[in-house]
């Protein structure tokens, strides 16, 4: 893993920025903000704060059905 310049090997994590970079590179997690606060992207999955996740093809299917219901 490429550490940010502020985080020396063997040292404690110096700040939140370095910790977020570590999560993104090692665990492939990207936290979301604003209305999506608490949710995160883990790889291609959207993960709820409860830990439940949905794959892109399932989310796409759900949104398509939802759109069809309200289109009528």
């Amino acid at each position: 893993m490429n550490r940010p310049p502020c985080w020396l090997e063997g040292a404690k994590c110096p700040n939140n920025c370095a910790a977020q970079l570590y999560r993104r590179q090692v665990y492939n997690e990207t936290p979301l903000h604003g209305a999506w606060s608490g949710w995160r992207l883990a790889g291609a999955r959207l993960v709820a704060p409860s830990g439940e996740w949905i794959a892109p093809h399932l989310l796409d299917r759900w949104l398509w059905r939802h759109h069809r219901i309200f289109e009528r």
Side-chain angles (χ1 to χ4, degrees), residues 8-55:
L8 303 176
E9 186 71 39
K12 290 180 85 175
C13 183
N15 56 45
N16 190 39
C17 177
Q20 286 185 10
L21 178 63
Y22 183 81
R23 283 183 56 201
R24 285 188 183 129
Q25 289 190 348
V26 173
Y27 298 109
N28 197 20
E29 293 181 356
T30 302
L32 302 174
H33 306 282
W36 289 92
S37 185
W39 290 74
R40 62 186 168 87
L41 292 172
R45 296 176 177 173
L46 180 62
V47 182
S50 64
E52 296 176 286
W53 59 269
I54 186 164

Side-chain angles (χ1 to χ4, degrees), residues 44-65:
R45 296 176 177 173
L46 180 62
V47 182
S50 64
E52 296 176 286
W53 59 269
I54 186 164
H57 69 283
L58 298 174
L59 181 60
D60 186 48
R61 187 180 309 158
W62 183 85
L63 290 172
W64 182 81
R65 288 181 185 164

